[in-house]
PDB file of all heavy atoms in Angstrom:
ATOM      1  N   ARG T  54     126.957 100.348  92.729  1.00  0.00           N
ATOM      2  CA  ARG T  54     127.368 101.771  92.684  1.00  0.00           C
ATOM      3  C   ARG T  54     127.361 102.279  94.097  1.00  0.00           C
ATOM      4  O   ARG T  54     126.328 102.453  94.722  1.00  0.00           O
ATOM      5  CB  ARG T  54     126.425 102.561  91.801  1.00  0.00           C
ATOM      6  CG  ARG T  54     126.551 102.256  90.348  1.00  0.00           C
ATOM      7  CD  ARG T  54     127.864 102.776  89.765  1.00  0.00           C
ATOM      8  NE  ARG T  54     127.770 104.207  89.487  1.00  0.00           N
ATOM      9  CZ  ARG T  54     128.362 105.168  90.180  1.00  0.00           C
ATOM     10  NH1 ARG T  54     129.106 104.886  91.212  1.00  0.00           N
ATOM     11  NH2 ARG T  54     128.216 106.416  89.846  1.00  0.00           N
ATOM     12  N   ARG T  55     128.539 102.502  94.635  1.00  0.00           N
ATOM     13  CA  ARG T  55     128.742 102.840  96.048  1.00  0.00           C
ATOM     14  C   ARG T  55     128.487 104.337  96.263  1.00  0.00           C
ATOM     15  O   ARG T  55     129.231 105.162  95.773  1.00  0.00           O
ATOM     16  CB  ARG T  55     130.138 102.453  96.501  1.00  0.00           C
ATOM     17  CG  ARG T  55     130.399 100.948  96.411  1.00  0.00           C
ATOM     18  CD  ARG T  55     131.888 100.605  96.514  1.00  0.00           C
ATOM     19  NE  ARG T  55     132.101  99.180  96.550  1.00  0.00           N
ATOM     20  CZ  ARG T  55     132.144  98.397  95.488  1.00  0.00           C
ATOM     21  NH1 ARG T  55     131.973  98.946  94.283  1.00  0.00           N
ATOM     22  NH2 ARG T  55     132.320  97.100  95.592  1.00  0.00           N
ATOM     23  N   ILE T  56     127.444 104.656  97.034  1.00  0.00           N
ATOM     24  CA  ILE T  56     127.052 106.030  97.214  1.00  0.00           C
ATOM     25  C   ILE T  56     127.662 106.635  98.476  1.00  0.00           C
ATOM     26  O   ILE T  56     128.139 107.785  98.482  1.00  0.00           O
ATOM     27  CB  ILE T  56     125.531 106.165  97.272  1.00  0.00           C
ATOM     28  CG1 ILE T  56     124.910 105.607  95.967  1.00  0.00           C
ATOM     29  CG2 ILE T  56     125.112 107.638  97.464  1.00  0.00           C
ATOM     30  CD1 ILE T  56     125.358 106.276  94.699  1.00  0.00           C
ATOM     31  N   CYS T  57     127.641 105.929  99.548  1.00  0.00           N
ATOM     32  CA  CYS T  57     128.291 106.377 100.797  1.00  0.00           C
ATOM     33  C   CYS T  57     129.082 105.205 101.388  1.00  0.00           C
ATOM     34  O   CYS T  57     128.817 104.050 101.081  1.00  0.00           O
ATOM     35  CB  CYS T  57     127.268 106.893 101.808  1.00  0.00           C
ATOM     36  SG  CYS T  57     125.931 105.752 102.172  1.00  0.00           S
ATOM     37  N   GLU T  58     130.026 105.527 102.193  1.00  0.00           N
ATOM     38  CA  GLU T  58     130.987 104.521 102.681  1.00  0.00           C
ATOM     39  C   GLU T  58     130.320 103.409 103.491  1.00  0.00           C
ATOM     40  O   GLU T  58     130.643 102.235 103.345  1.00  0.00           O
ATOM     41  CB  GLU T  58     132.071 105.173 103.534  1.00  0.00           C
ATOM     42  CG  GLU T  58     133.167 104.223 103.982  1.00  0.00           C
ATOM     43  CD  GLU T  58     134.268 104.932 104.768  1.00  0.00           C
ATOM     44  OE1 GLU T  58     134.288 106.175 104.744  1.00  0.00           O
ATOM     45  OE2 GLU T  58     135.075 104.215 105.402  1.00  0.00           O
ATOM     46  N   ARG T  59     129.397 103.788 104.345  1.00  0.00           N
ATOM     47  CA  ARG T  59     128.706 102.792 105.190  1.00  0.00           C
ATOM     48  C   ARG T  59     127.226 103.168 105.262  1.00  0.00           C
ATOM     49  O   ARG T  59     126.860 104.320 105.050  1.00  0.00           O
ATOM     50  CB  ARG T  59     129.282 102.755 106.609  1.00  0.00           C
ATOM     51  CG  ARG T  59     130.727 102.312 106.679  1.00  0.00           C
ATOM     52  CD  ARG T  59     131.241 102.465 108.118  1.00  0.00           C
ATOM     53  NE  ARG T  59     130.536 101.602 109.046  1.00  0.00           N
ATOM     54  CZ  ARG T  59     130.283 101.933 110.306  1.00  0.00           C
ATOM     55  NH1 ARG T  59     130.644 103.110 110.773  1.00  0.00           N
ATOM     56  NH2 ARG T  59     129.643 101.093 111.115  1.00  0.00           N
ATOM     57  N   ALA T  60     126.403 102.195 105.646  1.00  0.00           N
ATOM     58  CA  ALA T  60     124.981 102.501 105.894  1.00  0.00           C
ATOM     59  C   ALA T  60     124.862 103.608 106.910  1.00  0.00           C
ATOM     60  O   ALA T  60     125.591 103.680 107.899  1.00  0.00           O
ATOM     61  CB  ALA T  60     124.297 101.238 106.431  1.00  0.00           C
ATOM     62  N   LEU T  61     123.949 104.541 106.644  1.00  0.00           N
ATOM     63  CA  LEU T  61     123.872 105.757 107.453  1.00  0.00           C
ATOM     64  C   LEU T  61     123.558 105.466 108.911  1.00  0.00           C
ATOM     65  O   LEU T  61     124.078 106.123 109.824  1.00  0.00           O
ATOM     66  CB  LEU T  61     122.831 106.696 106.869  1.00  0.00           C
ATOM     67  CG  LEU T  61     123.074 107.154 105.435  1.00  0.00           C
ATOM     68  CD1 LEU T  61     122.017 108.141 104.992  1.00  0.00           C
ATOM     69  CD2 LEU T  61     124.456 107.738 105.252  1.00  0.00           C
ATOM     70  N   ARG T  62     122.685 104.499 109.195  1.00  0.00           N
ATOM     71  CA  ARG T  62     122.343 104.204 110.578  1.00  0.00           C
ATOM     72  C   ARG T  62     123.554 103.730 111.374  1.00  0.00           C
ATOM     73  O   ARG T  62     123.693 104.041 112.567  1.00  0.00           O
ATOM     74  CB  ARG T  62     121.225 103.153 110.663  1.00  0.00           C
ATOM     75  CG  ARG T  62     120.768 102.899 112.094  1.00  0.00           C
ATOM     76  CD  ARG T  62     119.496 102.091 112.109  1.00  0.00           C
ATOM     77  NE  ARG T  62     119.672 100.694 111.884  1.00  0.00           N
ATOM     78  CZ  ARG T  62     119.802  99.759 112.869  1.00  0.00           C
ATOM     79  NH1 ARG T  62     119.785 100.139 114.125  1.00  0.00           N
ATOM     80  NH2 ARG T  62     119.940  98.490 112.572  1.00  0.00           N
ATOM     81  N   LEU T  63     124.446 103.023 110.725  1.00  0.00           N
ATOM     82  CA  LEU T  63     125.612 102.495 111.421  1.00  0.00           C
ATOM     83  C   LEU T  63     126.614 103.595 111.757  1.00  0.00           C
ATOM     84  O   LEU T  63     127.517 103.398 112.591  1.00  0.00           O
ATOM     85  CB  LEU T  63     126.290 101.394 110.606  1.00  0.00           C
ATOM     86  CG  LEU T  63     125.446 100.145 110.310  1.00  0.00           C
ATOM     87  CD1 LEU T  63     126.249  99.140 109.485  1.00  0.00           C
ATOM     88  CD2 LEU T  63     124.942  99.528 111.598  1.00  0.00           C
ATOM     89  N   GLN T  64     126.498 104.739 111.079  1.00  0.00           N
ATOM     90  CA  GLN T  64     127.430 105.822 111.358  1.00  0.00           C
ATOM     91  C   GLN T  64     126.977 106.725 112.507  1.00  0.00           C
ATOM     92  O   GLN T  64     127.693 107.639 112.914  1.00  0.00           O
ATOM     93  CB  GLN T  64     127.597 106.670 110.082  1.00  0.00           C
ATOM     94  CG  GLN T  64     128.200 105.899 108.923  1.00  0.00           C
ATOM     95  CD  GLN T  64     128.509 106.764 107.724  1.00  0.00           C
ATOM     96  OE1 GLN T  64     129.175 107.801 107.863  1.00  0.00           O
ATOM     97  NE2 GLN T  64     128.039 106.384 106.564  1.00  0.00           N
ATOM     98  N   GLY T  65     125.808 106.428 113.041  1.00  0.00           N
ATOM     99  CA  GLY T  65     125.352 107.105 114.243  1.00  0.00           C
ATOM    100  C   GLY T  65     125.283 108.607 114.131  1.00  0.00           C
ATOM    101  O   GLY T  65     124.804 109.168 113.144  1.00  0.00           O
ATOM    102  N   LYS T  66     125.775 109.294 115.146  1.00  0.00           N
ATOM    103  CA  LYS T  66     125.641 110.750 115.252  1.00  0.00           C
ATOM    104  C   LYS T  66     126.521 111.504 114.260  1.00  0.00           C
ATOM    105  O   LYS T  66     126.409 112.730 114.148  1.00  0.00           O
ATOM    106  CB  LYS T  66     125.964 111.196 116.682  1.00  0.00           C
ATOM    107  CG  LYS T  66     124.961 110.678 117.693  1.00  0.00           C
ATOM    108  CD  LYS T  66     125.289 111.195 119.107  1.00  0.00           C
ATOM    109  CE  LYS T  66     124.274 110.693 120.134  1.00  0.00           C
ATOM    110  NZ  LYS T  66     124.590 111.181 121.497  1.00  0.00           N
ATOM    111  N   THR T  67     127.395 110.807 113.551  1.00  0.00           N
ATOM    112  CA  THR T  67     128.213 111.509 112.534  1.00  0.00           C
ATOM    113  C   THR T  67     127.366 111.926 111.334  1.00  0.00           C
ATOM    114  O   THR T  67     127.778 112.772 110.557  1.00  0.00           O
ATOM    115  CB  THR T  67     129.393 110.633 112.059  1.00  0.00           C
ATOM    116  OG1 THR T  67     128.878 109.457 111.440  1.00  0.00           O
ATOM    117  CG2 THR T  67     130.264 110.235 113.250  1.00  0.00           C
ATOM    118  N   ILE T  68     126.202 111.280 111.174  1.00  0.00           N
ATOM    119  CA  ILE T  68     125.307 111.648 110.072  1.00  0.00           C
ATOM    120  C   ILE T  68     124.243 112.591 110.630  1.00  0.00           C
ATOM    121  O   ILE T  68     123.382 112.243 111.423  1.00  0.00           O
ATOM    122  CB  ILE T  68     124.622 110.409 109.483  1.00  0.00           C
ATOM    123  CG1 ILE T  68     125.681 109.461 108.870  1.00  0.00           C
ATOM    124  CG2 ILE T  68     123.600 110.806 108.432  1.00  0.00           C
ATOM    125  CD1 ILE T  68     126.490 110.060 107.759  1.00  0.00           C
ATOM    126  N   ILE T  69     124.302 113.848 110.159  1.00  0.00           N
ATOM    127  CA  ILE T  69     123.380 114.868 110.632  1.00  0.00           C
ATOM    128  C   ILE T  69     122.222 115.053 109.649  1.00  0.00           C
ATOM    129  O   ILE T  69     121.070 115.256 110.046  1.00  0.00           O
ATOM    130  CB  ILE T  69     124.127 116.206 110.844  1.00  0.00           C
ATOM    131  CG1 ILE T  69     125.203 116.019 111.929  1.00  0.00           C
ATOM    132  CG2 ILE T  69     123.144 117.305 111.240  1.00  0.00           C
ATOM    133  CD1 ILE T  69     126.111 117.209 112.072  1.00  0.00           C
ATOM    134  N   ASP T  70     122.500 114.946 108.371  1.00  0.00           N
ATOM    135  CA  ASP T  70     121.478 115.181 107.347  1.00  0.00           C
ATOM    136  C   ASP T  70     121.476 114.019 106.338  1.00  0.00           C
ATOM    137  O   ASP T  70     122.152 114.102 105.306  1.00  0.00           O
ATOM    138  CB  ASP T  70     121.725 116.527 106.627  1.00  0.00           C
ATOM    139  CG  ASP T  70     120.616 116.866 105.676  1.00  0.00           C
ATOM    140  OD1 ASP T  70     119.669 116.073 105.530  1.00  0.00           O
ATOM    141  OD2 ASP T  70     120.688 117.946 105.037  1.00  0.00           O
TER     142      ASP T  70
END
Side-chain angles (χ1 to χ4, degrees):
R54 290 289 281 108
R55 298 166 174 82
I56 302 301
C57 55
E58 184 177 346
R59 296 174 63 213
L61 301 183
R62 184 168 78 95
L63 299 181
Q64 298 187 51
K66 294 182 179 180
T67 63
I68 298 298
I69 299 172
D70 186 359

